[in-house]
Amino acid sequence: MLDTANPVRKGEEIDSNAVTEYLISQGIALQGQPEVTQFSGGASNWTYRLKYANRDLILRRPPKGTKAKSAHDMVREYKVQKALQSQYPRVPNMVALCTDDHVIGCDFYVMDRIEGIIPRANLPKALTLSEQQVSELCRQVVDALIDLHKVDYTQNPDLVALGKGEGYCERQVMGWDKRYEQARTPDVPDFADVRQWLTANTPTDVKTSVIHNDWRFDNVILDPSNPTNIIGVLDWEMATIGDPLMDLGCALAYWIQADDNAVMKATRRQPTNLPGMMTRAEVVEYYLQKTGLKVDNWRFYEVFGVFRLAAIAQQIYYRYYHGQTDNPAFKDFGVIVNALHDRCIELIEKNNNKS
C-alpha cells in the first residue's frame, strides 16, 4: 500500500556521489551510498528517493533543459515549505537547499521522506475502507486545506514575500486568460464566452491566506496505521498568498463525483467517486460553515477552477499538437479541453437561469 519509487528513467539520472558530498558538507550525517529510485507521478519537477543506511530522503529538481527558473523554482518551493513547517506540521521536513549548479547542474532541494499511502485515482487494492471511513478521509482532506488557509503568514517574511496585495482574483483571471490564448490550437474552443463571463463576474478577494494551488488527493500522504489521517502534503511549487476560495474552486475542478458524465469520469485522478465522499456542493457547504467565510456567487470560483484546469490541459496538449512531446498520454487532452469548455458553459447557464 505504501507509495514506492521506480528505477530512474533513462536520461534522468542524477550524480548521487555529488549529492552525498554536498549534503555531508552541509553537516548532514549520512552512512554509505544511497539507493536511488525515482517517482513516476507528476508532470513537472523530477522527484527522487535517496535511501541511505541511516536516512531516507527525497530530492526535487527541475527537468533538464528548463530555460526559466521561475517555472521550476526550487528555491521558492523550498522556502515556502521551510517557512510553513512551524505552523503546518503536514509539510515535509526540509533538509538542504543547493543553488550551486556545479553539484548536479541545477538547483535542487532535499527533504525527509514521509512514509505513507498516496491516494491516486483508485485506492490501493489492499486498502479496504468502509463508507464511513471514506467519509472520514474526505473530511480530513478538506480539513487539512482549511487548516492551511488558517495559517498566520503575516509574521514570516518568506511567506509575506509571496503576496502581491489585493486583487488576486483579478490577476488570476487575467493571467490564465493570456496563458490559454497563447496555448490555443485550432481544434479546441476559444473559450471567449467563458473568459468574458469570468472577467465580468470577478469578485473582490474575500480574504488573503496561504494557498496551495494544486490541492488534490494525490498530493496528500495517509498514515499507514490509520489511513483516514493526513500526515503529509506534497507539491508546493504553486503555493502562494491569495484568496482561499480560489484555492477551493481549483481543487474542486479535479473533484469528479459519481453522477458526472462519462467524459468527466475519464479524467478522474482521485477517488472522489467512492460512496461516502462529499459531492462538490457538500464540500463548499462544509468549507464555508467551518471557516465562516461568506460568498455571494460561488459559481465564479467553480467556473474559474474548470477554466484554469482547461488551460493547464491545453498547455500540455499544445506541446503534443506541435510535436514537442510524443507522450501518448497527451493525445486526447484536446478532447478533455472541449469537455471542460462544455462544463463551463453548463455552469454559467445554471447561474444565469438561477438569477
Side-chain angles (χ1 to χ4, degrees), residues 277-288:
M277 287 285 179
M278 297 184 218
T279 64
R280 290 183 292 268
E282 288 169 341
V283 171
V284 175
E285 182 180 5
Y286 178 83
Y287 179 94
L288 294 176

Side-chain angles (χ1 to χ4, degrees), residues 12-26 28 30 34 36 45-50 52 57-64 66 69 72-79 81-82 93-112:
E12 299 183 8
E13 299 84 1
I14 58 170
D15 186 343
S16 60
N17 289 329
V19 171
T20 301
E21 289 177 9
Y22 176 79
L23 293 176
I24 291 174
S25 76
Q26 300 301 300
I28 299 156
L30 299 172
V36 182
N45 296 320
W46 294 350
T47 307
Y48 303 82
R49 179 183 180 187
L50 282 63
Y52 292 90
L57 301 175
I58 298 294
L59 182 148
R60 292 263 289 174
R61 59 150 292 170
K64 287 180 181 174
T66 301
K69 281 191 176 183
H72 303 275
D73 192 337
M74 296 294 99
V75 176
R76 183 182 187 278
E77 193 172 328
Y78 175 88
K79 284 186 174 181
Q81 292 173 90
K82 185 78 172 174
N93 177 58
M94 296 295 106
V95 173
L97 170 69
C98 178
T99 57
D100 182 356
D101 286 357
H102 292 96
V103 180
I104 63 169
C106 63
D107 292 350
F108 68 89
Y109 73 88
V110 175
M111 60 189 179
D112 281 318

Side-chain angles (χ1 to χ4, degrees), residues 90 117 123 127-144 217 220-231:
R90 297 181 182 94
I117 303 165
L123 295 177
L127 180 59
T128 304
L129 299 182
S130 67
E131 185 170 335
Q132 182 178 355
Q133 288 175 309
V134 169
S135 179
E136 175 63 14
L137 170 60
C138 181
R139 186 182 67 79
Q140 291 282 355
V141 169
V142 180
D143 281 346
F217 276 71
V220 303
I221 305 174
L222 310 182
D223 184 346
S225 62
N226 179 15
T228 63
N229 185 39
I230 313 289
I231 57 173

Side-chain angles (χ1 to χ4, degrees), residues 153 162-176 202-209 211 240-244 246 300-301 304:
Y153 69 91
L162 299 174
K164 295 181 179 178
E166 289 294 318
Y168 179 81
C169 295
E170 184 178 2
R171 288 193 300 273
Q172 287 294 295
V173 170
M174 292 174 59
W176 285 103
T202 304
T204 56
D205 302 348
V206 298
K207 184 185 174 184
T208 301
S209 65
I211 61 177
T240 190
I241 302 297
D243 189 323
M246 294 287 269
F300 165 82
Y301 304 96
F304 174 78

Side-chain angles (χ1 to χ4, degrees), residues 249 253 280 298-307 343-344 347:
R280 290 183 292 268
W298 170 253
R299 196 71 73 191
F300 165 82
Y301 304 96
E302 192 172 16
V303 173
F304 174 78
V306 176
F307 170 63
R343 174 72 177 148
C344 285
L347 291 170

